[in-house]
Amino acid sequence: MTVAEVDDLNWLEAALTPTSDPSWVLEDEGYDPTREAGIEARFAIGNGFLGVRGSRSVSRGPAWASYQHNLSWASWPRTYIAGLFDIPNTEPPVPALVPGPDWLRVRIRIDGQLALIRSGVLVSHHRYLDMRRGLLLTEWRQQLGSRLLHIRTLRFVSQADRALCGQLLQLSVEGSPAEIQLEACFESLTSALEYVHSGPDVALWRTVQTGMTLGVASAAALRLDGQELPADEPTSLDRRWKWTSRPGQAATLLRMVAFVRSDARDISAADAARAASDRAQQAGWRCVLADHEQAWSNRWMASDVEITGDKQAQAALRFAIYHLISAANPEDGRVSVGARALTGDAYLGHVFWDTEIYLLPFYTMTWPEAARALLLYRYHTLPGARAKAARMGFRGAFYAWESADTGEETTPEKIIDPLGRVIEVLCGKQEWHIASDVAYAVWQYWQVTEDDTFMLDAGAEIVLEVARFWASCVVEEGDGKFHIRGIIGPDEYHEHIDDNAFTNEMARWTLQRADELIAEVKRRWPDRWQNLAQRLDLGDEEIARWRDVARRLVVLADQRTGLIEQFEGYSMLEEIDLAQYEGRIVPMDVVLGRERTQRSKVIKQADVVALLALLPERFQRRVIEDNFSYYQSRCGHGSSLSHAMHGVVAARLGKTQAALKHFRETAAIDLGTNLTPSAGGIRIAAQGGLWQLAILGFAGLSFTDDGLRLQPALPAQWRVMTFRTSWRGRRLHFHIQQDPCVVTVLLEEGDPMMMRIDGQERSLAMGSSEQFEWQAPAATGTAEPAAVTRSSALG
């Protein structure tokens, strides 16, 4: 055996072996077809442009059948391409993310018999999601008569060059010699993609309705005994090899595939895919994989959270951060992250408020380039938001509740429930808070990054157009106050409601931030203000109305108790003791029925509590405590978004054990024993919420105009917590420990800044660290006293 062959074997063994530290590896052992679809979502890999579910590449049903019939097959193989939408021939015609060709499929025949997991005896089957390296590894042993089939695989989608993805498969057959045939092929999943062009190692597909194109290029080789084995009659993308096996012999398949999406109807996407493939071949498989792993190492350096003393929490946070990194693409400002990211079919790839409220804090504070790209998506979809507002008789920008590639409203108007009833879907028409959710994310990004270029070029227009929307849709009534009528708040159990506290206060906040933004732009960039005001036709009279609306917009509250009424009339609804329904396995609206739920105080998810989480500085601690206590007991947590918000507020109030319970409930959403709900994809907002609970809740991180503040409230089990964050061009490292309670802060990069921890304030200089003592937080906000009247805001 030559030195080169030994080197190849050593490299292969290292590549196919998962990271030794188990806290970085998610493992699944065995094979159960009833669990397969959920496992595939959990073990998905992605880079924000491509997302690939963790389906087995060998021995599974036809890819097209799994797409058309879903539950007809255990496996749902998918490769998603961000932004590749088409409008299927369905009613209603709702845009959907289109899966690309299945590039991982491998067929193996032994003496003419197809190797299947249901044939012979399954000896072992392991899947490893190596989160540190961004890889999916598998190992499968199958007894087929007198022979033992052993297959190990590796796959990745490059974090360094997002067009590229790679597949490595090592195959050996122990026992008597056999005729082996291996076919590495492509299969189209859907009739939404038309095959329009092919050439050597390249092909082009086009979506039927939207006319988007997808170029795919592939380079595959099979090595046997240190030599490359020629393929039999290669076609455009498929390859087939035949050989006679012998004991101790291993064959290795290396396949590199490039995907390129384009809005052009020509063959430019195919040319670009070929160029990406050529680039990869010139670099070499090992180099492409090494660059990918280094890119993942860089991302983990910026965003990892380490927990000492709670292995379960550590695993949950690593899983959450892994999927958050996998979901975003800082290089494309025309796509966003859908509700299931690029891990499943559920919600058709549509973008919700989840992105801005649950995901953006992670990206803003650990990966600002990705946050910027996600906000640019909202800027590029402003025309759709303006069109929606105009259709409803309003001005400004009213963002789609469900958004695809254009920003037009894609929420279906009606659905059929499990009982066959036609149900009107009102979210697209009545969940108005989405407008402020977007503005909130824009403002938070600006405050954390000081990215003035983004704010002047895109962010300001978003915030001002959302403020314009709110000023145009409020209703001034005889009580001298402004009201917002006929809406839905975050609690979607209650429709057609008036003066939802979350919606109204977020609207007020947006109007106030717009006024602040105008003053800042006028002061610092007067020429840019003149241009923007002229382009938006925005004058002093309209701005004065915004101030008036902000001043007189209603948020309901009890003058005696300070209790915020979730919406007008909520206090008169039926009380339901949720404790009597402990252990239920279905949401409360299923238990009570839709009509009774709407007549009750049962809440689907955090609503007033979400307001306390997003704007804590606007409320006194007593108001936060009383409202949290009141509403948490009435929340049925019928959404994957709910527990995290409750956990953030609980942690800020020092209720660490309650917060930890919410943490574990959030983690169990996609890491629990019930895999069925995950089949449609990872609930990516829950993963973002888990990070927020850890960093904004337990670590108590917040920011002010001149620096950062930390108010730790670690659970007793968390002996040490470390993490990094970015802040206005700086990078900081935090080390929080208990017994003794000490925080060590290191400014790794950037200019000097102020840091406040538990009432202590110090200046940080680059390269030096400061230590602070800490105790359980005594307060969550320092804003002016909250008003307690029916006609004004609580802060």
Side-chain angles (χ1 to χ4, degrees):
M1 185 178 292
T2 68
V3 173
E5 288 177 301
V6 172
D7 182 51
D8 280 347
L9 290 175
N10 290 338
W11 174 78
L12 275 172
E13 184 61 30
L16 289 166
T17 302
T19 296
S20 58
D21 184 346
S23 70
W24 287 101
V25 179
L26 185 65
E27 180 180 358
D28 180 67
E29 182 178 359
Y31 174 72
D32 179 352
T34 65
R35 302 172 68 247
E36 192 68 8
I39 288 290
E40 290 173 354
R42 186 176 289 183
F43 283 71
I45 56 176
N47 62 16
F49 172 60
L50 298 170
V52 183
R53 284 168 62 88
S55 311
R56 292 172 296 112
S57 55
V58 183
S59 178
R60 51 175 164 78
W64 61 266
S66 68
Y67 180 74
Q68 294 180 353
H69 305 295
N70 274 351
L71 295 179
S72 298
W73 295 86
S75 178
W76 300 6
R78 300 285 190 277
T79 293
Y80 298 102
I81 298 91
L84 188 69
F85 285 92
D86 199 35
I87 304 174
N89 185 23
T90 60
E91 288 298 333
V94 177
L97 195 65
V98 177
D102 179 13
W103 60 281
L104 287 161
R105 191 166 180 77
V106 175
R107 295 189 183 93
I108 297 171
R109 287 182 168 83
I110 302 175
D111 286 340
Q113 297 297 311
L114 198 62
L116 298 172
I117 204 166
R118 65 173 181 264
S119 303
V121 178
L122 177 65
V123 177
S124 63
H125 189 277
H126 292 266
R127 247 176 295 219
Y128 305 94
L129 182 65
D130 190 330
M131 296 179 286
R132 187 172 201 165
R133 300 160 65 203
L135 304 175
L136 176 62
L137 305 168
T138 71
E139 186 166 12
W140 172 34
R141 288 184 172 88
Q142 188 84 3
Q143 192 72 45
L144 299 171
S146 62
R147 299 188 180 96
L148 177 65
L149 174 67
H150 183 198
I151 295 176
R152 301 170 76 188
T153 73
L154 173 155
R155 75 179 65 160
F156 71 95
V157 292
S158 177
Q159 189 71 224
D161 188 340
R162 287 183 167 76
L164 300 178
C165 42
Q167 178 186 34
L168 187 157
L169 183 147
Q170 187 184 68
L171 162 70
S172 64
V173 180
E174 296 299 325
S176 58
E179 295 298 315
I180 308 297
Q181 177 178 300
L182 185 149
E183 182 181 3
C185 52
F186 282 71
E187 280 193 2
S188 182
L189 290 174
T190 168
S191 58
L193 283 179
E194 295 179 323
Y195 190 73
V196 296
H197 171 78
S198 66
D201 301 320
V202 69
L204 184 75
W205 282 265
R206 180 182 294 129
T207 57
V208 175
Q209 296 296 324
T210 58
M212 295 181 180
T213 51
L214 178 67
V216 181
S218 177
L222 190 134
R223 296 185 65 82
L224 190 68
D225 298 328
Q227 302 293 322
E228 186 170 327
L229 187 69
D232 295 344
E233 301 177 3
T235 61
S236 173
L237 295 175
D238 296 348
R239 295 291 184 272
R240 183 182 295 110
W241 297 269
K242 296 178 182 177
W243 71 96
T244 301
S245 71
R246 56 180 171 76
Q249 182 187 58
T252 303
L253 168 69
L254 294 168
R255 176 158 53 170
M256 188 71 67
V257 180
F259 287 86
V260 173
R261 184 201 77 233
S262 175
D263 293 334
R265 289 179 172 269
D266 56 24
I267 65 170
S268 59
D271 294 338
R274 188 195 302 275
S277 178
D278 291 345
R279 185 170 66 243
Q281 290 182 70
Q282 185 175 6
W285 222 93
R286 292 167 68 163
C287 183
V288 172
L289 179 59
D291 288 346
H292 161 75
E293 292 190 19
Q294 183 59 53
W296 265 99
S297 178
N298 294 342
R299 288 267 44 87
W300 281 114
M301 178 66 71
S303 55
D304 189 26
V305 178
E306 295 182 85
I307 305 296
T308 301
D310 190 337
K311 292 182 179 180
Q312 184 181 358
Q314 178 68 86
L317 279 167
R318 287 258 167 84
F319 180 80
I321 295 169
Y322 164 80
H323 278 289
L324 289 165
I325 294 172
S326 300
N329 179 4
E331 299 167 6
D332 191 347
R334 294 188 177 272
V335 300
S336 188
V337 180
R340 299 299 179 98
L342 297 174
T343 68
D345 290 345
Y347 297 106
L348 310 178
H350 293 177
V351 179
F352 293 74
W353 74 307
D354 309 24
T355 305
E356 283 71 35
I357 298 301
Y358 290 85
L359 306 186
L360 257 296
F362 168 79
Y363 297 121
T364 296
M365 304 203 77
T366 68
W367 198 3
E369 298 85 357
R372 191 181 205 272
L374 292 171
L375 293 172
L376 282 173
Y377 165 81
R378 291 299 193 181
Y379 176 71
H380 290 131
T381 54
L382 254 178
R386 287 183 174 117
K388 179 181 176 181
R391 282 195 305 271
M392 297 187 67
F394 304 131
R395 302 183 68 211
F398 180 12
Y399 279 95
W401 181 247
E402 296 187 33
S403 181
D405 53 330
T406 66
E408 293 289 337
E409 182 60 73
T410 59
T411 306
E413 295 187 358
K414 295 179 181 179
I415 61 171
I416 299 177
D417 73 3
L419 299 178
R421 298 173 298 182
V422 176
I423 303 296
E424 186 178 7
V425 179
L426 298 174
C427 300
K429 299 175 183 177
Q430 294 189 7
E431 288 217 43
W432 295 6
H433 65 83
I434 179 64
S436 276
D437 302 333
V438 174
Y440 179 88
V442 168
W443 188 267
Q444 298 297 308
Y445 171 80
W446 189 38
Q447 296 302 296
V448 170
T449 65
E450 286 191 330
D451 186 349
D452 295 334
T453 300
F454 165 79
M455 199 62 173
L456 292 171
D457 291 346
E461 190 168 344
I462 292 173
V463 173
L464 297 179
E465 284 291 74
V466 170
R468 172 174 275 169
F469 164 72
W470 287 120
S472 72
C473 68
V474 296
V475 179
E476 185 176 12
E477 298 184 358
D479 59 359
K481 308 300 176 185
F482 287 102
H483 302 262
I484 300 177
R485 303 288 191 190
I487 60 170
I488 300 172
D491 166 26
E492 293 167 334
Y493 286 166
H494 297 93
E495 302 167 337
H496 305 291
I497 61 172
D498 299 328
D499 289 329
N500 168 249
F502 180 92
T503 303
N504 285 27
E505 192 59 23
M506 289 294 284
R508 183 198 320 281
W509 179 91
T510 303
L511 290 161
Q512 292 170 340
R513 296 294 76 73
D515 191 28
E516 183 179 338
L517 174 62
I518 291 169
E520 185 77 355
V521 177
K522 279 183 177 180
R523 182 179 66 83
R524 296 175 62 189
W525 306 282
D527 292 342
R528 295 296 297 267
W529 168 249
Q530 289 298 326
N531 178 271
L532 183 60
Q534 184 176 7
R535 185 156 51 86
L536 298 183
D537 191 22
L538 182 58
D540 292 343
E541 185 176 345
E542 184 175 0
I543 296 169
R545 174 174 166 80
W546 295 1
R547 297 189 190 108
D548 187 38
V549 172
R551 188 166 50 251
R552 294 194 283 141
L553 184 58
V554 167
V555 171
L556 308 177
D558 185 283
Q559 187 172 359
R560 180 177 55 85
T561 65
L563 192 67
I564 304 168
E565 189 170 26
Q566 184 173 300
F567 56 84
E568 186 176 299
Y570 176 85
S571 61
M572 304 302 292
L573 299 178
E574 179 187 2
E575 287 281 7
I576 300 288
D577 183 4
L578 292 180
Q580 296 183 8
Y581 299 90
E582 283 292 329
R584 67 185 186 280
I585 58 174
V586 295
M588 282 302 299
D589 62 326
V590 177
V591 174
L592 298 178
R594 190 164 181 259
E595 290 76 16
R596 188 183 177 195
T597 302
Q598 291 177 335
R599 297 193 304 268
S600 78
K601 290 184 179 179
V602 175
I603 301 164
K604 179 180 179 181
Q605 65 189 62
D607 194 306
V608 170
V609 170
L611 178 61
L612 303 176
L614 297 186
L615 302 177
E617 73 281 356
R618 297 173 83 89
F619 306 99
Q620 291 180 322
R621 181 182 176 89
R622 177 186 59 80
V623 172
I624 294 175
E625 288 178 334
D626 292 348
N627 281 276
F628 178 75
S629 176
Y630 181 85
Y631 283 105
Q632 70 164 345
S633 66
R634 289 160 176 80
C635 185
H637 299 294
S639 166
S640 60
L641 309 180
S642 187
H643 277 291
M645 280 290 188
H646 281 79
V648 169
V649 178
R652 286 173 177 165
L653 290 172
K655 302 176 185 293
T656 55
Q657 289 309 114
L660 186 61
K661 181 179 179 181
H662 288 298
F663 182 96
R664 301 210 191 283
E665 291 282 358
T666 303
I669 289 168
D670 282 310
L671 272 180
T673 56
N674 183 11
L675 281 160
T676 302
S678 296
I682 293 298
R683 273 65 62 95
I684 193 65
Q687 310 313 317
L690 200 72
W691 180 89
Q692 289 191 53
L693 209 170
I695 304 302
L696 308 184
F698 292 133
L701 184 68
S702 61
F703 55 86
T704 61
D705 289 340
D706 61 346
L708 292 174
R709 182 168 59 188
L710 212 67
Q711 189 74 49
L714 298 190
Q717 301 93 313
W718 293 23
R719 297 195 303 273
V720 178
M721 177 183 185
T722 65
F723 64 95
R724 285 182 172 87
T725 186
S726 64
W727 169 254
R728 297 181 177 177
R730 304 167 178 90
R731 188 173 72 176
L732 297 99
H733 179 270
F734 295 90
H735 182 279
I736 308 172
Q737 69 180 56
Q738 300 197 80
D739 193 24
C741 293
V742 174
V743 178
T744 304
V745 185
L746 170 63
L747 179 58
E748 296 179 329
E749 294 179 11
D751 297 332
M753 61 173 287
M754 296 303 299
M755 185 75 216
R756 298 178 181 85
I757 297 181
D758 208 9
Q760 307 159 72
E761 181 177 63
R762 295 177 195 164
S763 177
L764 300 177
M766 187 173 72
S768 66
S769 62
E770 293 285 342
Q771 285 195 339
F772 302 77
E773 295 181 354
W774 65 276
Q775 296 178 341
T780 59
T782 58
E784 61 193 76
V788 287
T789 65
R790 183 184 187 281
S791 58
S792 62
L794 289 182

